Amino acid sequence: MDQSLREACGIVGVYNVPNAAEAIYLGLHALQHRGQESAGIVVCNGHTMHSRKGMGLLSRVFGPQDLAHLRGHTGVGHVRYSTTGASKPQNTQPLVLDYSAGLVAVAHNGNLINARALRRECEARGSIFQTSTDSEVIVHLMAQPDHADRPDSLAHCLRRHVRGAYALLVQRTDRIVAARDPQGFRPLSLGRLEGGYMVASETCAFDQAGAEFLREVEPGELVTVDETGLHSERFVPEREVRPAMCIFEFIYFARPDSVLLGESVHTVRKRLGVQLAREHPADADVVVAVPDSGNSAAIGYAQESGLPYDRGLIRNHYVGRTFLNPVPGERSRQARLKHNVVQDVVRGKRVVLVDDSLIRGTTLQSLVQFVRAAGATQVHLRISCPPNRYACYYGIDFPTREELIAAHRSREEIEALLSLDSLRYLSLEGLQAAAPGAGGFCTACFGGDYPVPPADLMEDKHRLEAHGAVTEETVAGT
Ligand code: SF4
């Protein structure tokens, strides 16, 4: 990944687990790659909810004493990267609200594409919003007088009103509810933990917390866990379920040790590399991954091509945020902070550099320079997905079309810009053939074929940003 695309969020929920806060913390720890701007946990003891939320990494928001204060056997947690709603304390999740039906906590991964219209409707009926996130409209819809008394108020609101991408956890004092939109854009899985249940964005959270994977929450499914057990229902008719899971979860977002659609993400990424080598072999001496995003695909490429795989680029994992002032013309300094070249591996060699995607191209431009300066005689770049030419509206922080290097440039122009001997992308057909399951993926950022039309979304986003929202940093439990 040459310039980080950022996943919007990771979510975790547990029901009937002795130390809910610790289990959620462990799960969120495994999901930290899905959001680093803020973190929060809400637990419930059957009567009251207690929460702690804050800005920054999980380890910054929670110390040992903080977890000890969060006593309860049920709860939900969230790590966030903002795609709608600014990065500020009042937008941290889980959101906690109290209305006529009682306390509710909500953790959401995804983007609602009709949030603007829904918010306007709710405000016209007297709702006062606490945040500028799209997620809050779900609670306000549930609290509307004509919905609040319905036992199926969440299912009703999702079916009738909410459009777009959501993997959702809703906690009440006596249950938790997990739901996934009819396209299933974002992943969500169910597991067993210590006699209770766990729900998480990715299965790596189960491994961290010691939970056993049961199955994925299906697109258009709503799962309720309460004292009578686990109950599943479809909240939309079967004909409206059109699976379109984000294929970028396999390419880049999900952790390689997670299992999606029955296969480890690492195995799928290796297969993308195998397919890439079949489509675009290179006359070269060594295969080098752009770490860590290109590791699995590079292994697959090397296996299929018969070329040796070696570690020619090393990534510094401890960079974090830097405070160097940007210097015009010195963009490579940022790349140099993160990456260095193992000169012995590339000197005098024709190098195949493998990465998962090419977004803006700025980091890869620097890396190619580093590899050439270290003595490589040729650099051939292989990308394990097609050219990204369109923005994402379903919960990924994508650059605008103007910023995408492939949106308005030919492959030859990019080769010249990045000083490459050759650049080749995996075909869309190859990507879909290598992905698991029977198809049904969103691939809109490659071809612009959006599964749910994103009309007015950007206007919606700007309006929410401009909306003044004021609350306390931490919503205390009662
Ligand atoms: Fe994923 Fe791309 Fe679809 Fe967004 S547009 S959900 S990044 S495949």
Side-chain angles (χ1 to χ4, degrees):
M1 177 64 62
D2 70 309
Q3 283 282 315
S4 294
L5 291 182
R6 288 168 178 154
E7 178 60 85
C9 302
I11 57 176
V12 176
V14 297
Y15 180 84
N16 196 26
V17 169
N19 188 341
E22 185 177 298
I24 294 167
Y25 179 90
L26 290 171
L28 291 179
H29 188 267
L31 299 180
Q32 188 77 83
H33 61 290
R34 298 184 77 88
Q36 300 92 43
E37 283 186 0
S38 66
I41 295 175
V42 177
V43 296
C44 183
N45 58 12
H47 305 286
T48 59
M49 289 186 185
H50 304 279
S51 79
R52 181 174 179 82
K53 303 188 286 184
M55 302 299 291
L57 296 172
L58 193 70
S59 57
R60 182 163 177 246
V61 177
F62 292 93
Q65 295 309 314
D66 300 320
L67 287 179
H69 289 140
L70 292 173
R71 294 196 192 92
H73 57 270
T74 299
V76 292
H78 191 269
V79 286
R80 178 170 193 258
Y81 180 81
S82 54
T83 54
T84 67
S87 176
K88 53 189 179 183
Q90 59 264 42
N91 285 343
T92 56
Q93 292 194 28
L95 304 172
V96 183
L97 291 100
D98 196 359
Y99 70 105
S100 61
L103 282 165
V104 62
V106 173
H108 169 213
N109 174 203
N111 263 14
L112 308 183
I113 62 163
N114 62 338
R116 178 174 67 100
L118 293 176
R119 183 169 179 142
R120 197 165 48 219
E121 283 171 27
C122 289
E123 286 174 335
R125 300 172 80 171
S127 296
I128 299 172
F129 281 73
Q130 297 181 11
T131 76
S132 59
T133 68
D134 58 343
S135 316
E136 193 182 345
V137 294
I138 296 169
V139 185
H140 285 278
L141 284 169
M142 289 166 61
Q144 296 295 312
D146 47 345
H147 298 156
D149 294 334
R150 297 175 66 119
D152 66 338
S153 64
L154 177 61
H156 178 76
C157 292
L158 296 179
R159 180 172 53 244
R160 289 285 304 276
H161 302 289
V162 177
R163 300 289 174 265
Y166 52 89
L168 195 64
L169 287 173
V170 177
Q171 182 190 355
R172 312 303 293 254
T173 53
D174 61 347
R175 61 192 184 275
I176 65 167
V177 182
R180 213 169 154 208
D181 65 68
Q183 286 71 36
F185 283 108
R186 301 284 144 231
L188 194 62
S189 289
L190 273 172
R192 289 301 304 253
L193 177 63
E194 300 174 10
Y197 289 92
M198 187 170 192
V199 190
S201 297
E202 292 183 38
T203 63
C204 61
F206 296 160
D207 300 336
Q208 190 88 67
E212 176 197 355
F213 171 74
L214 286 178
R215 66 176 177 85
E216 295 185 10
V217 178
E218 297 294 325
E221 184 185 14
L222 189 146
V223 176
T224 302
V225 191
D226 61 19
E227 62 179 4
T228 63
L230 187 147
H231 311 278
S232 167
E233 64 177 297
R234 293 274 179 192
F235 62 88
V236 291
E238 196 70 41
R239 66 179 182 280
E240 291 179 23
V241 174
R242 297 195 190 93
M245 183 178 165
C246 170
I247 206 161
F248 243 95
E249 295 282 353
F250 285 106
I251 296 165
Y252 170 71
F253 297 129
R255 259 177 53 161
D257 50 336
S258 285
V259 174
L260 288 176
L261 299 180
E263 281 199 86
S264 90
V265 171
H266 169 67
T267 300
V268 175
R269 284 183 192 157
K270 272 204 306 186
R271 211 155 57 222
L272 299 182
V274 167
Q275 183 65 27
L276 183 59
R278 286 177 186 157
E279 292 184 10
H280 301 296
D283 196 8
D285 302 307
V286 65
V287 176
V288 168
V290 174
D292 295 316
S293 53
N295 289 354
S296 302
I299 292 169
Y301 190 99
Q303 284 176 352
E304 181 64 18
S305 65
L307 294 171
Y309 168 80
D310 210 340
R311 296 186 69 195
L313 280 169
I314 303 298
R315 181 177 162 199
N316 183 339
H317 289 265
Y318 306 100
V319 173
R321 217 163 155 199
T322 61
F323 296 95
L324 291 176
N325 292 325
V327 180
E330 263 199 50
R331 122 187 101 198
S332 69
R333 189 161 66 155
Q334 295 292 332
R336 179 67 83 183
L337 282 171
K338 281 190 188 165
H339 298 95
N340 200 11
V341 183
V342 182
Q343 296 194 5
D344 290 352
V345 172
V346 305
R347 189 183 300 121
K349 306 266 182 60
R350 298 167 298 170
V351 175
V352 180
L353 206 53
V354 179
D355 204 356
D356 65 307
S357 54
L358 183 56
I359 305 300
R360 291 186 176 90
T362 49
T363 301
L364 265 165
Q365 189 173 33
S366 299
L367 294 186
V368 172
Q369 284 173 9
F370 300 162
V371 171
R372 285 199 184 281
T377 56
Q378 294 180 12
V379 181
H380 303 272
L381 182 59
R382 297 291 180 267
I383 300 294
S384 62
C385 74
N388 286 99
R389 296 196 168 107
Y390 296 86
C392 174
Y393 298 102
Y394 309 124
I396 302 302
D397 182 42
F398 237 76
T400 61
R401 279 205 79 192
E402 287 62 41
E403 294 171 301
L404 294 169
I405 191 170
H408 306 290
R409 289 184 186 86
S410 69
R411 185 171 52 75
E412 291 76 13
E413 287 172 324
I414 300 171
E415 283 174 346
L417 196 65
L418 303 191
S419 304
L420 291 164
D421 292 283
S422 72
L423 164 66
R424 297 290 184 276
Y425 296 90
L426 182 62
S427 67
L428 185 57
E429 297 71 27
L431 171 62
Q432 289 170 322
F441 291 103
C442 175
T443 58
C445 48
F446 306 120
D449 186 11
Y450 292 98
V452 181
D456 294 330
L457 186 73
M458 297 317 291
E459 186 191 346
D460 187 16
K461 181 175 175 180
H462 292 144
R463 180 182 174 278
L464 289 177
E465 290 289 345
H467 196 281
V470 181
T471 65
E472 299 295 314
E473 172 168 354
T474 298
V475 181
T478 55

